Amino acid sequence: MFTSNIGRLRFFLYSLGLAVAETVVIVICIVSAIGFEGLLNSAPGPSRQGMAGAVLVASLIFVALRGNLAACRTRDANGRRWILWAYIALSAVYALLQAGVLLVVKFGDPESIPGGLNLLGLSIFGLWCTILWAKPVAGSNIDELTDVFEFDGPLPASTRTARTAVPATPRAAIAASTARVPPAPQPFGRPRPAGFGKRGV
């Protein structure tokens, strides 16, 4: 539980930092292109293309960064992949529509802003919350961990019972086979009789 809370907090703080950075970069793109006064007084169309293009490129870069962060969180929590890909795809669509709105919006006319953009933003926020509150896996197999790493402490009682329950017949068979000594090789031909000399004693 402690590890899960740390992962959620880290994902939340990183996402918040990326959101603030994206807002600052978009403001810089608008100011450096035509400025806020020029944006308010300009007519929709070609005069805003440079500004909209810069905003689109910056937004897609932050979509990639947020997608990478969401992928790390999904992998840590063993979340569903389709939620991750839906979050990335909808974020890319939102970035595209956001640049399009800046290109065609008429300030002072609320009807020029499409209402579907807000619904799309709510959908993205819902997917983000789902990734944020994803629960981690139930746990790892202790046998796999002890095979890879060497632990100094004793294993749990259930693990010791499971390991001692393994029958010892294969081990005894291996020990008996190794303890068996092969017979000495016999010489070729007929065996010579025992005794001293030709006729014996």
Side-chain angles (χ1 to χ4, degrees):
M1 182 63 67
F2 181 74
T3 305
S4 175
N5 292 332
I6 290 296
R8 291 170 182 171
L9 180 61
R10 185 179 301 173
F11 177 71
F12 175 78
L13 293 178
Y14 286 172
S15 299
L16 183 61
L18 287 177
V20 173
E22 182 179 5
T23 303
V24 172
V25 171
I26 289 177
V27 170
I28 292 175
C29 291
I30 294 175
V31 171
S32 60
I34 58 177
F36 285 105
E37 185 177 356
L39 178 62
L40 295 175
N41 297 327
S42 62
S47 60
R48 301 181 183 177
Q49 288 182 354
M51 179 264 303
V55 170
L56 177 61
V57 171
S59 299
L60 290 178
I61 291 175
F62 280 96
V63 166
L65 293 176
R66 289 198 304 269
N68 185 28
L69 180 61
C72 294
R73 171 62 185 160
T74 301
R75 184 173 58 252
D76 293 340
N78 197 19
R80 298 182 179 180
R81 305 294 295 179
W82 70 267
I83 296 178
L84 170 64
W85 289 112
Y87 174 75
I88 296 175
L90 292 181
S91 297
V93 173
Y94 186 87
L96 181 62
L97 294 179
Q98 178 181 252
V101 167
L102 291 176
L103 185 63
V104 301
V105 67
K106 295 179 180 179
F107 293 97
D109 185 9
E111 296 181 356
S112 62
I113 301 177
L117 193 64
N118 296 329
L119 296 177
L120 182 59
L122 290 176
S123 301
I124 295 172
F125 180 73
L127 293 173
W128 179 85
C129 291
T130 303
I131 297 173
L132 173 65
W133 291 105
K135 294 182 180 180
V137 293
S140 302
N141 190 358
I142 189 66
D143 292 329
E144 295 178 358
L145 293 177
T146 52
D147 289 339
V148 178
F149 303 100
E150 294 181 358
F151 293 95
D152 296 331
L155 296 177
S158 59
T159 306
R160 291 198 303 269
T161 305
R163 289 194 171 183
T164 54
V166 178
T169 303
R171 298 177 182 175
I174 295 174
S177 63
T178 54
R180 191 178 303 162
V181 179
Q186 297 293 332
F188 295 101
R190 296 178 60 186
R192 299 179 62 182
F196 297 94
K198 296 181 180 180
R199 295 182 181 179
V201 177

